[in-house]
Amino acid sequence: MKKIVVLHGPNLNLLGTREPDIYGREMLDDINNALREKARDQGWDLQCLQSNHEGELVDAIQAACQDGTSAIIINPAAYTHTSVAILDALNMFKGRVIEVHLSNVHQRERFRHHSYVSLRADGVIAGLGSQGYQAALDSIMTREGQSRANG
């Protein structure tokens, strides 16, 4: 079974209550459950992790490098703009990486316009709210399906 890891960075555990005008009212568990269900229906294993700690996210990426994970969907949140450590870990990962942001970071403060993660990401989705995660998942599953058909 193909495996996808979804990583959520700092403060995303507060979705639904933290600045809902920016991040929406949907709870993180709702997003994760919808992703797991959709992946399971297509024969994929999807695991989710949220952490407020940079090192824990790096550890999860390193584990994905070793355990046959096919793709990572990552919303690094504030670490987007600061974490070379996350970038370095992602650079070791051989599968697909899709970077997701709930808000349109390009309409926000200038410091949010730069992403270290984008230097490694195969795709970036911003501003679609929780639908961005669904779009990332669709992209991964569709591309994998096309690869199998062509290979």
XYZ file of all heavy atoms in Angstrom, residues 7 69 146:
24
model
N 2.081 16.578 7.160
C 2.714 17.253 8.293
C 2.142 18.660 8.442
O 2.091 19.418 7.461
C 4.225 17.332 8.076
C 4.937 15.983 7.946
C 6.408 16.199 7.611
C 4.770 15.166 9.212
N 7.647 5.878 2.293
C 6.614 6.889 2.035
C 6.757 7.410 0.609
O 7.864 7.715 0.157
C 6.740 8.048 3.049
O 6.465 7.534 4.361
C 5.781 9.187 2.735
N -1.140 7.816 -12.939
C -0.620 7.983 -14.300
C 0.718 7.295 -14.465
O 0.989 6.694 -15.498
C -0.487 9.478 -14.632
C -1.809 10.181 -14.775
C -1.659 11.693 -14.878
O -0.615 12.261 -14.596
N -2.744 12.354 -15.261
